[in-house]
Amino acid sequence: MNMQENFSLKPFNTFGVDVNAQYFTQASSIEKLKDAIQFSRSQSLHLLILGGGSNILLTKDFEGLAVQLDLRGISEENIDENTVLVTAKAGENWHEFVLYCLKKNYGGLENLSLIPGNVGTSPMQNIGAYGTEIKDIFVNCSVLNLETLETEQFDLEKCRFGYRDSIFKQEAKGKYIILDVTFRLTKKDHHIKTEYGAIQSELKNAGIENPTIQDISRAVINIRQSKLPDPKEMGNAGSFFKNPTIPLAQFEDLQQKFENIQGYPNGNNVKVPAGWLIEQCGWKGKQIGNAASHKLQSLVIVNATGNATGKEIYDFSTEIINSVKNKFGIELEREVNII
């Protein structure tokens, strides 16, 4: 096991925050992963598992062992003439995995194109975009039980997916490591999802009336690139906040004060776009020190200078939360995991 001490985690988090881990190693196999866990136990060290580093904010040096999960490999199982199960190991890059499936004309993942991170973290927060969530195509995932070091399987029901949520963010948090994920995809009778106006506009601009799954993917990529900064050029973790869901009565009260408030009915509740709330509070493009709200998408907090500390970014997000609560009475919840 290649163990390094006082190791910078800057290359392993998309915010580009420069903090050190007391110990660091990469695990390219389950055996190496178990060795790393045994080492952390023998030294009584805290354990931090890193995937693509796209959904975390490191606010201080990590006193313990950071393990970068580097499990690779993709396998397939044909079920019938229209169904294939595709299993990707946790260390596979998410977008590259989506492109792999699109190249084979496997449908189901196209609306989730260009989401940063690795496959292993996708079930943790039930990633979603443009009308698709992981739960829609999820079959199961293999996990390592950190207490017993035995491998277990979690099916759809056991994962208890919610909006940007799962059992892995609730009572199972810190108890399992996701090793691989299996998806049920279509081979020909694809369900094309174009409900979102932005996708419809992209397709119309391209003169496409009967889109393929590849067309949908290209549309999503164009949309994301037009309004979301590339983490390689400006450190960020994508959407920093969840879109809040509030009771219908509360939304109707807000409509009396803010006629142009946006909302999407969800049963007796209404989902309000966090980006709209943040923008109304004057944060879009605003910078304090080294942290800023992105000029094109206020929902994204960026490491504007490349020199922001995790605490700076965290404090900046707190300012946003406070101002939205003061103006609208809605408390935003961070989507990013704070370490």
Side-chain angles (χ1 to χ4, degrees):
M1 183 170 54
N2 183 20
M3 190 70 63
Q4 300 182 68
E5 294 185 47
N6 199 30
F7 185 85
S8 174
L9 297 178
K10 187 172 184 176
F12 296 96
N13 72 98
T14 57
F15 264 117
V17 171
D18 192 9
V19 298
N20 288 343
Q22 184 181 357
Y23 294 97
F24 174 84
T25 191
Q26 286 181 294
S28 57
S29 68
I30 295 175
E31 290 70 30
K32 288 181 179 178
L33 177 59
K34 289 180 179 179
D35 287 345
I37 294 166
Q38 296 282 25
F39 174 81
S40 71
R41 286 180 179 174
S42 69
Q43 303 295 314
S44 300
L45 297 171
H46 292 296
L47 190 65
L48 173 63
I49 305 297
L50 293 169
S54 63
N55 198 45
I56 59 169
L57 175 62
L58 301 166
T59 58
K60 58 189 176 182
D61 286 343
F62 183 69
E63 297 297 321
L65 170 62
V67 181
Q68 203 272 325
L69 205 57
D70 197 32
L71 306 175
R72 301 297 183 101
I74 300 173
S75 59
E76 303 171 28
E77 180 187 353
N78 285 299
I79 301 301
D80 55 43
E81 61 181 16
N82 191 47
T83 309
V84 60
L85 301 186
V86 185
T87 301
K89 292 192 177 177
E92 290 289 338
N93 175 272
W94 175 261
H95 182 59
E96 289 176 12
F97 171 60
V98 172
L99 293 180
Y100 168 93
C101 293
L102 286 166
K103 193 173 182 180
K104 296 207 159 195
N105 200 41
Y106 296 159
L109 298 172
E110 55 278 358
N111 292 58
L112 303 177
S113 297
L114 209 62
I115 292 178
N118 288 356
V119 169
T121 49
S122 64
M124 291 182 71
Q125 60 167 15
N126 183 25
I127 63 170
Y130 302 106
T132 298
E133 291 182 313
I134 281 296
K135 67 176 178 60
D136 301 330
I137 39 161
F138 179 90
V139 177
N140 57 49
C141 60
S142 299
V143 302
L144 184 69
N145 184 316
L146 278 168
E147 186 178 340
T148 64
L149 294 189
E150 296 291 327
T151 302
E152 300 176 21
Q153 275 210 337
F154 276 57
D155 61 12
L156 180 65
E157 185 180 0
K158 197 171 180 180
C159 285
R160 298 221 311 274
F161 290 123
Y163 170 61
R164 300 298 174 270
D165 198 20
S166 73
I167 192 171
F168 301 111
K169 290 185 76 174
Q170 301 300 328
E171 65 266 37
K173 186 175 183 178
K175 296 180 179 179
Y176 301 93
I177 298 172
I178 296 172
L179 304 173
D180 62 46
V181 189
T182 300
F183 303 94
R184 178 178 284 103
L185 306 178
T186 52
K187 291 193 279 189
K188 54 179 183 175
D189 297 329
H190 306 309
H191 178 47
I192 305 291
K193 293 185 176 181
T194 60
E195 306 95 277
Y196 275 74
I199 290 180
Q200 292 172 12
S201 297
E202 278 291 325
L203 295 173
K204 187 176 180 180
N205 291 340
I208 298 169
E209 293 184 4
N210 298 301
T212 64
I213 55 175
Q214 290 79 9
D215 292 331
I216 297 296
S217 175
R218 277 190 290 271
V220 169
I221 290 170
N222 289 342
I223 295 164
R224 294 184 75 90
Q225 288 180 333
S226 71
K227 67 179 185 179
L228 297 172
D230 184 344
K232 292 172 186 170
E233 296 174 9
M234 184 179 289
N236 72 90
S239 299
F240 198 92
F241 301 99
K242 293 181 180 181
N243 290 319
T245 298
I246 63 174
L248 178 60
Q250 184 183 356
F251 181 76
E252 289 173 343
D253 286 344
L254 287 169
Q255 277 183 312
Q256 301 300 314
K257 300 177 187 174
F258 309 97
E259 289 182 9
N260 62 338
I261 187 171
Q262 298 175 13
Y264 303 94
N266 183 10
N268 294 322
N269 298 312
V270 178
K271 187 183 289 184
V272 183
W276 185 88
L277 297 170
I278 295 165
E279 197 171 327
Q280 297 305 303
C281 292
W283 285 98
K284 192 173 184 178
K286 186 173 181 179
Q287 183 171 336
I288 299 176
N290 297 301
S293 176
H294 193 252
K295 62 182 180 180
L296 298 178
Q297 174 52 273
S298 56
L299 193 56
V300 178
I301 296 177
V302 296
N303 182 350
T305 64
N307 298 314
T309 64
K311 185 178 184 304
E312 251 185 305
I313 293 168
Y314 182 83
D315 290 346
F316 185 86
S317 72
T318 301
E319 293 280 336
I320 291 175
I321 290 170
N322 290 341
S323 67
V324 169
K325 188 170 186 181
N326 289 337
K327 184 164 186 170
F328 296 101
I330 296 174
E331 184 151 3
L332 293 181
E333 186 180 345
R334 295 176 181 92
E335 189 174 311
V336 173
N337 292 305
I338 311 299
I339 307 292

